[in-house]
Amino acid sequence: MCTAAAFRSKDFYFGRTLDYEFSYGDQVVILPRSYPLHYLEQETQTRHYAMIGMACVMEDTPLFYDAVNEKGLAIAGLNFVGNACYHPHAPGKENIAQFELIPWLLSQCASVAEARKRLECMNILDTPFRPGLPAAQLHWLIADREGSLTVESVAEGLMIYENPVGVLTNNPPFPMQMQNLANYRHLSPDPVEATFGPGLSLPQYSRGMGALGLPGDLSSQSRFVRVAFTKLNSRCGESEEESVSQFFHILGSVDQQRGCCHLGEGKYEITLYTSCCNTDRGIYYYTTYDNHRIIGVDMHREDLEGGSLIRYAPVTKERIPIQNAPKGDGV
């Protein structure tokens, strides 16, 4: 279960939570312009846009959960179990495996508009990355500073939706998520007038009562409503520090704590990491479940003309400074 969002202040930011019960060995990965990208049915790309994101690297192949390219186009893949459906080879289409979709688009598309054109002639293959590792059932949020798309490969084919809220979670399919938002059209960040009945005086006994009814459970449909409301009503300054901090607060509204979602056999779903990328500057920020200190990796401090993956293991240990510690040991 995961949540992704796109957000604009002065710059454009994109990120997600990854909620699961264990990690596959995730790393912050920078893929430079000359790293060869091999595809099942497409020609190898030896020159392409550079990109940065969180990935599991297998057989020298980065399997990206989310990534942003040097042009500012961002993509995140989120679980879509039970609805995702991939297909066999389709003549006349660009046949791309599920695990190839993020690098395929980010390697050659500079905008959502360009990505949409490629998607319109795409077929997502049902071929697994390797035997014993079935294709993950996903749908995708694709965004730049001009807009967002949701992409879902279902039994009927590849569906491409304009996403006016710039948010995605998991099931149900995107049109149902948007329809469900209408059930919450009365929510407001402002105090609301009492309309219960004429002549009845009902006091507003607390701040925030305009948001009464905002769902607080961990289901994907409720998280969609909650993060959409939080994001669309979010206000912050334009500095990098204010914007990044606010983005983490937005996704913090759907953080999953160990113990609240029991999967059986002592396993619990938690927010393994939360990411926020400044797509204009190519800086990938993240926190992990046991490290709430925001860590950044700047892709432009690396050799983007190189031919080797650049990897950083996430910082997963909390460091809690004591403000009144002896000089040099505190905050």
Side-chain angles (χ1 to χ4, degrees):
M1 309 295 276
C2 309
T3 304
F7 176 69
R8 281 186 64 175
S9 57
K10 181 179 180 181
D11 289 342
F12 178 66
Y13 299 85
F14 181 92
R16 57 95 55 80
T17 65
L18 192 143
D19 306 325
Y20 208 59
E21 66 268 30
F22 63 87
S23 169
Y24 283 95
D26 317 326
Q27 297 176 303
V28 179
V29 176
I30 299 171
L31 194 152
R33 301 181 186 112
S34 296
Y35 187 80
L37 289 171
H38 305 286
Y39 302 98
L40 294 178
E41 297 198 16
Q42 306 296 327
E43 293 184 2
T44 296
Q45 293 173 320
T46 56
R47 287 290 294 176
H48 47 73
Y49 295 140
M51 62 194 79
I52 184 171
M54 192 73 78
C56 169
V57 180
M58 293 186 179
E59 301 171 11
D60 294 325
T61 300
L63 304 176
F64 283 107
Y65 307 124
D66 56 277
V68 176
N69 71 13
E70 61 184 297
K71 298 297 183 180
L73 181 65
I75 307 178
L78 288 78
N79 271 344
F80 193 46
V81 177
N83 283 300
C85 180
Y86 310 128
H87 302 276
H89 174 90
K93 294 279 190 177
E94 284 187 340
N95 291 279
I96 300 296
Q98 167 268 321
F99 59 88
E100 297 173 338
L101 184 139
I102 290 179
W104 174 252
L105 290 176
L106 293 186
S107 64
Q108 58 193 312
C109 299
S111 65
V112 164
E114 290 183 14
R116 181 169 194 135
K117 289 182 180 179
R118 302 311 295 253
L119 287 162
E120 287 171 352
C121 60
M122 183 182 293
N123 173 57
I124 300 183
L125 296 168
D126 54 7
T127 311
F129 176 70
R130 66 183 184 191
L133 188 66
Q137 297 183 58
L138 305 176
H139 59 174
W140 295 267
L141 178 65
I142 304 176
D144 62 14
R145 62 169 39 250
E146 302 303 325
S148 302
L149 299 176
T150 294
V151 178
E152 297 179 341
S153 181
V154 294
E156 295 78 11
L158 192 65
M159 304 299 178
I160 307 169
Y161 304 104
E162 295 290 334
N163 185 328
V165 295
V167 167
L168 190 64
T169 57
N170 312 104
N171 288 316
F174 183 70
M176 295 176 64
Q177 296 276 34
M178 289 300 299
Q179 184 179 28
N180 181 54
L181 278 187
N183 292 321
Y184 301 92
R185 64 190 302 272
H186 61 283
L187 298 184
S188 171
D190 299 316
V192 293
E193 181 183 353
T195 57
F196 188 87
L200 182 62
S201 177
L202 297 173
Q204 182 159 281
Y205 57 83
S206 172
R207 294 179 178 180
M209 292 182 69
L212 275 175
L214 181 67
D217 64 85
L218 300 179
S219 68
S220 55
Q221 195 162 36
S222 292
R223 284 185 287 106
F224 186 94
V225 176
R226 193 158 71 255
V227 80
F229 177 81
T230 305
K231 177 216 157 172
L232 292 173
N233 291 290
S234 178
R235 300 291 182 269
C236 74
E238 293 188 341
S239 72
E240 182 73 348
E241 293 77 12
E242 290 171 297
S243 300
V244 171
S245 175
Q246 186 71 354
F247 191 93
F248 278 98
H249 282 297
I250 291 169
L251 288 185
S253 69
V254 291
D255 208 25
Q256 297 223 36
Q257 299 80 26
R258 183 179 287 113
C260 294
C261 182
H262 189 207
L263 305 176
E265 300 180 350
K267 297 178 181 178
Y268 298 93
E269 183 162 282
I270 62 173
T271 299
L272 292 171
Y273 76 84
T274 302
S275 67
C276 165
C277 189
N278 181 325
T279 69
D280 296 321
R281 303 186 190 183
I283 305 175
Y284 188 93
Y285 302 97
Y286 69 89
T287 61
T288 59
Y289 190 83
D290 288 315
N291 172 44
H292 286 80
R293 191 176 194 178
I294 298 172
I295 307 294
V297 179
D298 186 344
M299 70 185 295
H300 294 290
R301 294 187 179 215
E302 306 291 344
D303 178 13
L304 297 184
E305 291 297 330
S308 300
L309 293 178
I310 302 159
R311 312 187 208 179
Y312 290 93
V315 177
T316 58
K317 186 176 180 180
E318 198 80 74
R319 178 179 178 270
I320 305 175
I322 303 300
Q323 190 168 6
N324 63 342
K327 187 175 181 181
D329 297 329
V331 176

